[in-house]
Amino acid sequence: MSEYLFNPPPVAALPIRGESTLFPVNRLFFVGRNYHAHALEMGKPVDKSVEHPFYFTKSIGTLTPSGAAVAYPSETRNYHFEMELVVAIGRAGFRVAAADAHELVYGYAAGLDMTRRDLQLVARDKGRPWDLGKDIEEGSVCSEIVPMPFTVIERGGIELKVNGETKQRSDVDKLIWNIREIIEDLSRFYHLQAGDLIYTGTPEGVGAVVTGDRIEGQVEGVGEVALTIGPAA
C-alpha cells in the first residue's frame, strides 16, 4: 500500500448545532455583489434584468471557525469584513430547478468573507483574478451549521458590529438573487455536492479593521459569528 510523502491536511469540518457529528466541508463558493446597496458602494451597480450572478471560490484551507483570533494578513493596508448568510448543501445536485432548490439545503450558518480590499480593487480594475484579495489564509470564517433541511430562508435581519459599533445592518430579503435562484444558477456550472458552502453575499457598510478589533455578526434565526484581529504575522 502506498504511503503519502507527508501527512495530508485534516478534513475541514464545522460543528453542527445539537449534533455530536461534524459537517465535512467540501468547497467554498461566494456570490459577488448580491445586495444592491453594497454594489453601489463598490461603484458597480447591478441590473438583474440583464445580468447573471457571478461567483468566486476560496480554497478550503481558508476556512476558519467562529471565535478564532487570526493574524492581520500580509501585504494589505485595507482589510475588510463582509457579513454573509451561508447555505450548507446537504445532497448532490446538477442543473437544479429553482422550484427544487430546497431539496439541496441541509442548513445555514453565519459567515465572514474577509477581504484584502486594496488588492481586490487593483485586480478588479485591471481585469485580473481576485485571488490575492479574497483567497486569504484564515479569511473564510463560519459559525456552526444550523440544520434546517429543505428550508429556504427568504427574510431575516443580518448585521455586523466592530468593537460593539454597528457597521452593517440589512435583511436577507434584499438579496438580488435569492437562495433558490443562486442554487439554480450555480448548479448549471458545478455538480453541487454535500458539504459545499455558499456564501450568499454581503450588504452595504463593509469597512476596514485593524489589529485588536473584535468582529461580531449575526443572522436572524440562524446564529452568530465572531472574529478577533491579532497582530500581523
Side-chain angles (χ1 to χ4, degrees), residues 133-223:
K134 286 289 191 178
D135 193 20
I136 302 163
E137 294 170 346
E138 302 180 306
S140 304
V141 188
C142 197
S143 71
E144 63 183 0
I145 304 296
V146 182
M148 297 185 191
F150 313 124
T151 300
V152 173
I153 292 179
E154 296 179 343
R155 61 184 56 84
I158 180 171
E159 66 175 43
L160 178 142
K161 296 180 180 181
V162 178
N163 302 326
E165 181 180 352
T166 298
K167 299 293 187 178
Q168 291 184 279
R169 178 177 290 163
S170 188
D171 196 285
V172 174
D173 66 4
K174 292 182 172 60
L175 286 168
I176 299 173
W177 286 279
N178 63 37
I179 290 167
R180 287 189 180 276
E181 292 169 325
I182 291 168
I183 291 175
E184 177 186 44
D185 188 73
L186 188 59
S187 71
R188 294 168 53 226
F189 301 96
Y190 295 93
H191 291 75
L192 295 179
Q193 302 291 327
D196 289 341
L197 297 182
I198 305 173
Y199 287 63
T200 58
T202 194
E204 71 277 14
V206 301
V209 289
V210 297
T211 293
D213 281 348
R214 171 75 172 178
I215 304 170
E216 297 173 300
Q218 65 177 4
V219 179
E220 182 181 357
V222 174

Side-chain angles (χ1 to χ4, degrees), residues 80-84 111-113 115 117 134 168 202 206:
H80 275 212
F81 53 80
E82 296 190 11
M83 180 67 202
E84 312 208 5
L112 296 171
D113 168 24
T115 303
R117 187 70 72 200
K134 286 289 191 178
Q168 291 184 279
T202 194
V206 301

Side-chain angles (χ1 to χ4, degrees), residues 41-157:
E41 76 179 351
M42 297 302 294
K44 296 289 184 179
V46 174
D47 183 352
K48 186 178 180 180
S49 67
V50 296
E51 296 183 49
H52 295 280
F54 79 92
Y55 312 95
F56 57 92
T57 62
K58 292 190 182 186
S59 55
I60 198 68
T62 67
L63 185 66
T64 301
S66 175
V70 304
Y72 190 94
S74 61
E75 301 303 322
T76 181
R77 295 183 178 179
N78 197 18
Y79 194 41
H80 275 212
F81 53 80
E82 296 190 11
M83 180 67 202
E84 312 208 5
L85 170 65
V86 181
V87 182
I89 298 297
R91 63 167 61 179
F94 182 58
R95 294 177 178 166
V96 179
D100 300 325
H102 62 282
E103 296 180 0
L104 272 62
V105 176
Y106 172 78
Y108 294 89
L112 296 171
D113 168 24
M114 302 302 293
T115 303
R116 289 181 178 112
R117 187 70 72 200
D118 41 4
L119 302 190
Q120 181 208 11
L121 294 181
V122 168
R124 185 194 72 180
D125 293 344
K126 292 186 176 182
R128 295 174 178 173
W130 290 7
D131 297 58
L132 292 180
K134 286 289 191 178
D135 193 20
I136 302 163
E137 294 170 346
E138 302 180 306
S140 304
V141 188
C142 197
S143 71
E144 63 183 0
I145 304 296
V146 182
M148 297 185 191
F150 313 124
T151 300
V152 173
I153 292 179
E154 296 179 343
R155 61 184 56 84

